[in-house]
Amino acid sequence: MATTRRWFNVESVPQSHIFPLEDRPGQEPIPLCRKIPIINLGQHPNSERTDTIHRIIQASQEYGLFQVIDHEVPEDVKTEALRVLEELFSMPSEEISKEAKESGWVYMGSTSFAAKGAHLWRDNIKHPCHPLEDCLQHWPQNPTRYREVVAAYIEEIRRLSLRILELISEGLGLDKGYLGGTSQVQFLTANNYPPCPDPSVTLGVLRHFDHSLITILLQGNNVEGLQVLKDGKWIGVEVVPNSFVVNIGTQLEIISNGRLKSPEHRVVTNAKQARSTIATFINPSPDCIIQPAKVLVNEANPPLYPSLSFKDFVHASKPFGPSTDALQIGVPSKNV
Ligand code: OGA
Ligand code: NI
């Protein structure tokens, strides 16, 4: 049987995927940053817990991002989720599109979305995850074990996110449950970035902020590609074995009254290897008011951000730059 020719099996990047000059990664190599903190979340005695909290807060101020290891998410839950996504992405695009239309999740193949006039160099699927039991029926049915495997992954990410939000709450001087109390794993987006004949002219994801509380990113297969803007310069995020990247979202920047920074980031492609990632966006419940926490605001520290309903926040989030998937929450949407 002849194998299907995929959109990315081309000798040069088609015009449709070439970004305006100012957005292109260009030829200049971007160094990998070895200083982004790697934080061990293993159970510690109290003194070490304080140190862990301190490191998380410092990383969130300096980079808006850190990596966690010893996080208690079982290895097989991660590898199974990655494997089932790989199976999904290797199905013919028409089949994936058909499947997405029928069940009500979103498939973005190479040409279904243009940011700044160019298409991203990736295959991507996305779907809501909360409430899990209501969303499941709108997830892929093929591969047949997708729902079971990804639900197990989401449950683990929910637990992990609650632990991290608890540590951040404590570090900010908020009640332990302040951030996690109404948080939900609301959205999953999974990416496959195929090898690209010219990574200097295109992007896996255009520069953006995540409008979540936090985003938990699994970098699947030892291939780098995530870059963060720090002090006006792009730096590469290394792939640390058995880790997750934790990214501070703009909602948490607001709640912390600017103490924690949400970083601008992008994804570049590479010529040799495909890269796969799973991002889960942790948001508070949509009926929350997004505002600086009262205990962080006083005469010396006036609120730097207005109080907004979630709906207004979605509108007002434009100053943070192009929106991402983080705000597509709640009920499954129809494909367009
Ligand atoms: C995102 C994102 C990073 C990656 O989906 O918002 O930034 O490495 N993904 O896939
Ligand atoms: Ni992002």
Side-chain angles (χ1 to χ4, degrees):
M1 200 175 71
T3 47
T4 329
R5 191 173 169 82
R6 312 298 298 231
W7 63 267
F8 45 83
N9 287 338
V10 287
E11 266 155 40
S12 60
V13 176
Q15 198 57 40
S16 55
H17 287 68
I18 297 183
F19 276 84
L21 252 183
E22 69 271 18
D23 292 312
R24 291 183 202 170
Q27 306 276 2
E28 192 96 351
I30 304 286
L32 271 187
C33 178
R34 307 269 178 206
K35 292 194 195 137
I36 295 174
I38 299 167
I39 293 168
N40 185 324
L41 288 185
Q43 300 296 347
H44 301 305
N46 266 348
S47 57
E48 285 181 30
R49 183 180 158 88
T50 311
D51 184 53
T52 303
I53 291 173
H54 179 72
R55 293 190 65 216
I56 288 179
I57 297 296
Q58 222 171 19
S60 306
Q61 286 170 336
E62 204 175 332
Y63 295 94
L65 184 119
F66 52 91
Q67 309 223 36
V68 291
I69 54 169
D70 209 355
H71 43 62
E72 293 178 6
V73 177
E75 183 73 34
D76 61 329
V77 173
K78 291 193 310 174
T79 47
E80 281 300 290
L82 287 164
R83 198 168 298 152
V84 86
L85 279 157
E86 197 183 310
E87 281 168 36
L88 181 116
F89 284 127
S90 57
M91 283 161 40
S93 310
E94 308 74 51
E95 224 173 277
I96 310 180
S97 299
K98 185 165 165 278
E99 165 73 41
K101 275 213 180 71
E102 279 168 12
S103 302
W105 46 278
V106 178
Y107 168 56
M108 288 198 179
S110 72
T111 57
S112 52
F113 175 73
K116 296 266 200 115
H119 294 285
L120 299 173
W121 195 268
R122 69 169 182 178
D123 271 330
N124 166 272
I125 73 155
K126 40 184 129 263
H127 55 67
C129 302
H130 187 89
L132 193 53
E133 54 287 4
D134 296 344
C135 292
L136 269 177
Q137 54 175 316
H138 298 287
W139 290 9
Q141 305 192 62
N142 278 306
T144 45
R145 51 195 192 97
Y146 183 96
R147 291 179 181 178
E148 185 191 337
V149 165
V150 176
Y153 178 80
I154 286 298
E155 281 297 326
E156 288 295 337
I157 294 298
R158 194 180 59 81
R159 262 194 289 277
L160 174 63
S161 65
L162 285 177
R163 281 183 69 200
I164 294 171
L165 288 173
E166 193 176 299
L167 294 168
I168 296 177
S169 298
E170 258 186 88
L172 288 173
L174 304 171
D175 288 342
K176 241 181 173 180
Y178 191 93
L179 296 169
T182 61
S183 80
Q184 303 161 349
V185 176
Q186 280 170 328
F187 217 76
L188 171 143
T189 150
N191 299 295
N192 176 55
Y193 306 100
C196 172
D198 184 357
S200 72
V201 296
T202 192
L203 286 159
V205 184
L206 189 63
R207 61 192 292 172
H208 68 279
F209 298 88
D210 288 355
H211 297 313
S212 50
L213 275 178
I214 53 172
T215 304
I216 300 202
L217 178 78
L218 174 59
Q219 305 198 83
N221 54 343
N222 253 330
V223 183
E224 268 107 16
L226 175 62
Q227 297 182 342
V228 179
L229 198 62
K230 164 131 174 69
D231 306 326
K233 288 211 174 82
W234 290 105
I235 52 173
V237 178
E238 63 182 321
V239 177
V240 174
N242 207 6
S243 71
F244 288 96
V245 175
V246 182
N247 182 340
I248 303 297
T250 54
Q251 295 188 55
L252 186 48
E253 176 171 326
I254 294 172
I255 294 169
S256 74
N257 202 28
R259 264 188 74 190
L260 311 185
K261 293 287 176 218
S262 179
E264 196 164 8
H265 55 287
R266 68 180 184 186
V267 177
V268 298
T269 62
N270 81 82
K272 295 203 179 84
Q273 279 172 289
R275 174 169 181 266
S276 41
T277 63
I278 309 176
T280 33
F281 299 108
I282 317 296
N283 285 348
S285 129
D287 51 17
C288 275
I289 303 290
I290 317 293
Q291 61 188 351
K294 294 275 186 286
V295 298
L296 300 179
V297 175
N298 52 40
E299 239 167 72
N301 299 291
L304 301 176
Y305 307 84
S307 301
L308 294 171
S309 69
F310 188 78
K311 196 163 145 255
D312 291 340
F313 166 75
V314 175
H315 277 284
S317 55
K318 296 231 169 65
F320 283 108
S323 151
T324 50
D325 301 326
L327 293 179
Q328 306 184 30
I329 51 147
V331 278
S333 59
K334 273 255 168 288
N335 277 319
V336 280

